[in-house]
Amino acid sequence: MTAYLLRRFISLSLSLVAASLVIFLVMEAVPGDPASFMMGINADPAAVAALREQLGLNEPLPLRYLGWVAGLLQGDFGVSYTYRVPVSELIAERVMISLPLTLYALALSTLIAFPAGILAAARRNSATDLSVMGATQLGVAIPNFWFAMILVLVFAINLRWFSAGGFPGWDAGILAAMKSLTLPAIALALPQASILARVMRSSLIDTLDEDFMRTARAKGLSRSQALRRHALRNALIPVLTIIGLQFSFLLAGGIIIENVFYLPGLGRLVFQAITQRDLIVVRSVVILLVFAVIVVTFLVDLAYAAADPRLRRRR
Amino acid sequence: MSALTISNLRVDIRGKTVLHDIDMTLEPGKILGVVGESGSGKSMTALSVMQLLPRGSRWSGEISVAGNDLALMDEPALCQMRGRDVGMIFQEPMTALNPVQNIGDQVAETVRVHNGASRREAMTIAREMLDRVGLPAENFPLDRFPHDLSGGQRQRVVIAQAIALRPKILIADEPTTALDVTTQAQILDLLKQLVRDEDMGLMLITHDLAVVAGLADTIAILKDGEVVEAGATHSVFRGMRHPYTRALFSASAHVPARKRGPEPAKTPVLSVADVVRDYAQPRRNLFAKRPPFRAVDHVGFEIFHGENVGLVGESGCGKSTLARAVLALDPLQGGEIRLNGHVFSSAGDGPHPELRARMQVVFQDPYGSFNPRHRVRRLVTEPFHLVKSSLRGADLERRIDRALTEVGLSSSDADKYIHEFSGGQRQRIAIARALIIEPALIVLDEAVSALDVSIRAQILDLLAGLSDRLDLSYLFISHDLSVVRAITDRVLVMKAGQIVEQGATESIFENPQHPYTRKLVAATPSLEAALAGGRTGHEERINP
């Protein structure tokens, strides 16, 4: 068990190092000098040179990489070229929206997908199964920004249950904040839930056909007991993989939904930073996302080990 | 009162009748052997008793378990019946257990689901049962998982689950088919003891007459969903009134006629000298080197022209690894393999695949070893890729035609797809594919193990005839000693990567020298011995 986790931990740490190198080099290779961009087109070359010096852009590449990594380790992401504030502050503000939104959407998606997938698998080829499969097909097909607009029309404009957009801040109270994240979370969750339900169904159907399910029935378990006690845990592994991937995707992939609902999240931050050549923000957000993906991957590995004793085998 | 009575049982699956008018009875403390080939309905009979027939099935007739008519029971009552009154064991122990639950929980579950026992009580019973089936606490604590256990050990866990509540009836559906002969003998021994000690009725389903011959009190022989002959084992064996029974017997004991034995002192087709195959095992810790596992340990033997050589041993002994090495599919860590005197594979300079045309292979699974999207014509001509010859047009047609007729198929079969053939016919196509390039040696890796006895007899005849006519040599790898005995001239016995004994087949079987060979031979159920009237075959106790 420990060996398995240690191996996973080391390999993930190495991926993090590799990713940081790639991100750093790619950002270096991108054309456009941040200093001249910040000073404007008509800037005095001497002033640009001074700014370059001040930003540390003249130092040799390896030193700058090491300096950047050392900063990262202390939580210092550098100073935004455009906003002139520490990037860590910018990101922290946005993460406070994107992370809860992602978790909210993921929770919704799981809560919808599990029962739907299990029901469909348990009653394979029945009317229930067909309708669940039809609904998920639709859920995958509908673009989520369109669905988001429908949600706004119905629940914000007509029913007035929710506000149409914006975020009051966590100071306004958890309930108010969560309320403003509800419609975006639903919009994000819909396609994810559809995918997850389909994975859950097919994984469970495969498991239900396994020999050990027949053994369970021969021991006297009813169909539903056998499903609950023997099939679910075995069917979970592919589902966990998808949940892990969905988390990483949602964290930064909510940009369209953030725009529809005017939410100042990570997606919008990185979008703005790209248009403004604020490379240091882009770089920081990207490395943060990589870090998040790696942490989630590690958590998924932990979950695998919990679900499947074959991975815990001492070697 | 009989433990189980089946009368006039008829089962239809989606309009197709799979069982007609089945009558069987099983008394407490007795063993009923249900024998038949695939598709005969023996598993369906078992599933009818369990009421676990596939979806879309309808049954009629009467099944009563300890006097209770199953037709009158609703689903909750049937759930209560399963596991409490009737226990069941399956063919494939590797997949019959839940991989993510430990063995204690799985055995205890039978108890908990029926009498609402507490976890602790159920665990105590689980412990007793595992002890009972020969898995003592010191080596097999309750928290072990199935993946830690061998096939035979897993089958013991399945048996422990099935007998945890001391059911009146135990159904064993091919319980030893997937196991080695020695493990088979142990499991059959265990079942026999359980029947005697617990006064259970055992329905033992098998395709292997030799297995029931030594065990069953009564037998029923099934063919195409009907019982063709039934009665006390010895009287069925003596009388053999039904032609199918006779056919089954002669197929089971079939020895193909060979025109000539090997002529000694000729040049070897294959010579294997001092071959070593190592596998890297998983690391013990993060920084350790992967320790090697020696699967084949300095093995040497020769096969001469026209000679059939058998290779036997239990699973894990290195047979398959040796076969792969002989086929030059894996690099050698030591030694050399020569084909017709040329180096085919050696530790120094790797395999020489250009010689591969001289050696072909037929595998066990007649279903998995063909591309379903190709016609037979293309499938059988595959080996021509190995040689540069550009055989085209009429010449190629003649070769395809000849290969197909050699194996008893017709030239019109060349345009069919593989799904249009039965298992036996597919194995013929596999042999045609091996033959078409006129090899000197064919490696037959469990090539008849998946076939029914009657088909197996035909394929063995075919192989013997081809060897005689074409001066072919075989390396015949099998776990089934009776088949090896029937077809080979010489046999190699392998254990833990080494050949522990080799010699002429008859003398090895009649007079085995190495203790391991003796163990194997003793464990093999013998139809002849059973027919001779004795309940031999399993009498000799084999200790693990």
Side-chain angles (χ1 to χ4, degrees):
Chain A
M1 175 76 172
T2 336
Y4 164 76
L5 290 179
L6 199 63
R7 256 201 321 275
R8 297 300 301 146
F9 182 76
I10 289 178
S11 98
L12 290 174
S13 310
L14 289 178
S15 351
L16 195 57
V17 171
S20 70
L21 254 175
V22 170
I23 291 166
F24 182 78
L25 290 175
V26 167
M27 288 302 167
E28 285 304 315
V30 172
D33 175 19
S36 53
F37 193 86
M38 283 163 74
M39 302 293 280
I41 300 169
N42 301 321
D44 172 14
V48 173
L51 185 62
R52 281 186 64 84
E53 190 62 40
Q54 189 197 331
L55 292 173
L57 292 174
N58 291 332
E59 284 175 52
L61 217 56
L63 259 180
R64 281 165 54 206
Y65 172 72
L66 288 178
W68 176 56
V69 171
L72 286 183
L73 291 177
Q74 296 161 27
D76 175 11
F77 289 74
V79 176
S80 159
Y81 296 151
T82 33
Y83 300 107
R84 302 288 177 119
V85 292
V87 176
S88 49
E89 279 176 26
L90 275 178
I91 290 180
E93 242 170 61
R94 306 302 182 101
V95 165
M96 287 307 288
I97 295 175
S98 286
L99 189 63
L101 179 61
T102 299
L103 292 176
Y104 196 173
L106 212 57
L108 282 179
S109 144
T110 313
L111 282 176
I112 300 169
F114 271 50
I118 293 169
L119 203 66
R123 308 199 181 156
R124 191 182 341 176
N125 298 331
S126 68
T128 322
D129 184 17
L130 286 179
S131 29
V132 169
M133 284 297 95
T136 58
Q137 189 82 63
L138 215 62
V140 176
I142 291 176
N144 61 1
F145 62 87
W146 181 82
F147 182 63
M149 292 189 303
I150 299 294
L151 287 177
V152 169
L153 273 176
V154 174
F155 294 101
I157 296 174
N158 286 340
L159 295 172
R160 294 180 180 278
W161 291 353
F162 296 93
S163 66
F167 185 69
W170 291 100
D171 301 336
I174 290 182
L175 229 58
M178 290 302 278
K179 198 175 162 193
S180 72
L181 292 181
T182 299
L183 290 186
I186 294 175
L188 282 174
L190 175 82
Q192 310 300 333
S194 304
I195 296 168
L196 204 58
R198 296 180 82 91
V199 174
M200 182 82 220
R201 172 182 178 273
S202 67
S203 171
L204 198 53
I205 283 179
D206 287 346
T207 313
L208 289 173
D209 286 338
E210 296 272 359
D211 279 354
F212 62 79
M213 295 304 295
R214 190 183 51 189
T215 311
R217 296 278 283 138
K219 283 199 275 187
L221 272 71
S222 69
R223 201 181 286 281
S224 66
Q225 276 176 321
L227 187 138
R228 258 181 291 129
R229 295 194 195 181
H230 291 281
L232 269 185
R233 201 162 138 197
N234 276 287
L236 219 53
I237 293 261
V239 177
L240 286 174
T241 312
I242 300 294
I243 292 180
L245 291 174
Q246 291 192 339
F247 178 86
S248 324
F249 170 76
L250 286 175
L251 200 56
I255 174 162
I256 295 176
I257 295 297
E258 283 175 8
N259 271 320
V260 172
F261 290 98
Y262 299 106
L263 291 174
L266 268 184
R268 284 182 89 196
L269 175 68
V270 82
F271 180 70
Q272 287 159 354
I274 289 170
T275 53
Q276 291 162 350
R277 293 242 165 265
D278 197 348
L279 295 188
I280 199 154
V281 171
V282 177
R283 193 169 73 183
S284 307
V285 174
V286 172
I287 190 80
L288 192 76
L289 289 175
V290 169
F291 182 70
V293 168
I294 284 175
V295 168
V296 168
T297 310
F298 187 66
L299 291 177
V300 170
D301 285 339
L302 274 178
Y304 281 169
D308 192 339
R310 283 167 291 191
L311 294 173
R312 280 180 253 151
R313 176 202 303 245
R314 257 175 284 136
R315 300 215 166 148
Chain B
M1 184 174 52
S2 299
L4 172 69
T5 315
I6 300 175
S7 50
N8 289 323
L9 173 64
R10 175 193 166 104
V11 172
D12 299 80
I13 301 181
R14 296 195 181 84
K16 187 169 173 280
T17 307
V18 294
L19 292 179
H20 334 242
D21 293 334
I22 303 284
D23 293 302
M24 281 178 198
T25 50
L26 175 58
E27 304 298 328
K30 298 286 182 195
I31 300 177
L32 164 66
V34 178
V35 186
E37 297 188 288
S38 45
S40 63
K42 46 193 200 305
S43 290
M44 283 301 153
T45 310
L47 293 176
S48 305
V49 177
M50 295 304 282
Q51 289 288 299
L52 287 176
L53 286 165
R55 284 183 182 205
S57 315
R58 296 163 60 96
W59 70 283
S60 61
E62 196 194 326
I63 303 174
S64 72
V65 170
N68 300 315
D69 187 351
L70 296 192
L72 304 176
M73 293 160 88
D74 58 3
E75 182 57 28
L78 289 171
C79 281
Q80 278 301 308
M81 180 272 295
R82 294 181 201 119
R84 189 192 62 199
D85 301 332
V86 190
M88 185 160 178
I89 308 164
F90 304 94
Q91 172 169 356
E92 195 38 84
M94 303 310 275
T95 53
L97 293 169
N98 184 346
V100 305
Q101 219 177 49
N102 67 42
I103 58 174
D105 281 331
Q106 296 199 51
V107 177
E109 187 173 42
T110 310
V111 180
R112 299 187 69 188
V113 80
H114 284 287
N115 53 17
S118 73
R119 190 181 146 83
R120 177 184 297 218
E121 288 162 8
M123 282 304 194
T124 314
I125 296 179
R127 183 66 268 158
E128 275 170 32
M129 286 303 148
L130 288 171
D131 289 341
R132 182 80 186 77
V133 298
L135 300 176
E138 53 269 33
N139 293 328
F140 302 95
L142 294 173
D143 60 1
R144 285 192 72 169
F145 283 95
H147 65 254
D148 285 332
L149 307 178
S150 71
Q153 290 161 352
R154 292 186 202 196
Q155 196 63 300
R156 287 171 192 268
V157 176
V158 177
I159 294 174
Q161 292 184 9
I163 61 163
L165 291 171
R166 301 194 154 78
K168 299 168 191 74
I169 303 167
L170 187 59
I171 301 177
D173 189 356
E174 303 270 10
T176 59
T177 306
L179 303 174
D180 287 321
V181 278
T182 45
T183 319
Q184 160 166 295
Q186 292 161 12
I187 294 288
L188 292 176
D189 214 33
L190 170 65
L191 289 174
K192 198 163 78 178
Q193 276 177 39
L194 289 170
V195 167
R196 199 173 49 214
D197 299 350
E198 310 283 343
D199 209 29
M200 273 187 294
L202 172 65
M203 181 194 265
L204 179 64
I205 295 172
T206 178
H207 68 284
D208 189 344
L209 274 173
V211 164
V212 285
L215 274 183
D217 300 291
T218 53
I219 66 171
I221 293 176
L222 261 67
K223 180 180 192 288
D224 301 331
E226 281 177 281
V227 177
V228 295
E229 190 161 356
T233 306
H234 57 89
S235 74
V236 171
F237 277 25
R238 296 250 168 72
M240 288 200 234
R241 283 177 297 275
H242 196 279
Y244 181 70
T245 314
R246 285 196 290 276
L248 206 56
F249 267 94
S250 71
S252 301
H254 185 72
V255 178
R258 303 272 317 272
K259 287 198 186 67
R260 53 171 184 78
E263 288 143 44
K266 288 208 294 187
T267 49
V269 178
L270 178 79
S271 58
V272 172
D274 215 24
V275 161
V276 173
R277 273 289 294 127
D278 290 333
Y279 279 119
Q281 287 179 305
R283 282 170 231 280
R284 292 199 203 288
N285 70 53
L286 204 59
F287 304 104
K289 280 180 72 174
R290 292 160 66 102
F293 172 73
R294 186 146 287 188
V296 175
D297 189 7
H298 298 285
V299 163
F301 62 91
E302 288 183 325
I303 298 179
F304 297 95
H305 275 285
E307 192 186 28
N308 297 349
V309 174
L311 176 61
V312 299
E314 294 180 285
S315 52
C317 73
K319 302 193 291 287
S320 301
T321 311
L322 179 59
R324 288 183 62 84
V326 165
L327 289 162
L329 295 175
D330 296 323
L332 304 181
Q333 279 71 48
E336 187 180 74
I337 294 167
R338 282 172 177 269
L339 194 59
N340 283 329
H342 304 288
V343 176
F344 182 48
S345 179
S346 72
D349 64 352
H352 292 266
E354 65 278 5
L355 289 171
R356 235 173 223 154
R358 304 298 295 149
M359 179 165 7
Q360 291 292 310
V361 62
V362 177
F363 293 107
Q364 170 171 5
D365 181 6
Y367 294 90
S369 41
F370 292 103
N371 185 331
R373 286 177 189 81
H374 292 173
R375 291 177 198 275
V376 167
R377 173 188 310 286
R378 180 155 172 201
L379 293 173
V380 297
T381 51
E382 270 172 312
F384 282 122
H385 296 300
L386 294 169
V387 289
K388 292 200 176 67
S389 89
S390 47
L391 216 50
R392 288 230 164 67
D395 288 337
L396 185 63
E397 287 305 312
R398 258 198 303 279
R399 287 287 281 274
I400 295 170
D401 201 36
R402 199 168 75 208
L404 290 176
T405 32
E406 289 278 19
V407 299
L409 298 171
S410 78
S411 42
S412 62
D413 290 328
D415 289 316
K416 293 184 183 161
Y417 287 97
I418 200 72
H419 67 261
E420 298 173 60
F421 297 92
S422 68
Q425 285 171 323
R426 288 176 199 215
Q427 216 55 336
R428 286 174 190 268
I429 294 169
I431 295 168
R433 173 166 66 181
L435 278 181
I436 197 163
I437 200 161
E438 297 171 346
L441 175 72
I442 299 182
V443 176
L444 300 154
D445 191 355
E446 301 279 3
V448 298
S449 302
L451 304 175
D452 278 323
V453 281
S454 56
I455 310 291
R456 188 177 76 189
Q458 293 167 14
I459 298 288
L460 290 177
D461 278 341
L462 170 68
L463 288 172
L466 289 172
S467 169
D468 282 343
R469 257 200 331 271
L470 307 173
D471 205 27
L472 266 175
S473 306
Y474 299 136
L475 176 59
F476 195 97
I477 301 164
S478 182
H479 70 282
D480 186 339
L481 270 70
S482 59
V483 172
V484 171
R485 186 172 191 172
I487 191 164
T488 63
D489 308 310
R490 204 149 54 82
V491 67
L492 315 167
V493 182
M494 197 164 177
K495 183 193 181 214
Q498 292 176 319
I499 294 194
V500 294
E501 185 165 2
Q502 57 175 307
T505 303
E506 268 321 295
S507 74
I508 293 270
F509 280 90
E510 289 300 326
N511 189 16
Q513 296 301 312
H514 194 278
Y516 179 71
T517 317
R518 276 193 221 134
K519 198 173 97 174
L520 280 183
V521 172
T524 306
S526 160
L527 194 56
E528 279 170 35
L531 277 175
R535 270 197 161 203
T536 48
H538 311 289
E539 287 305 300
E540 189 171 339
R541 284 291 297 277
I542 288 121
N543 294 314

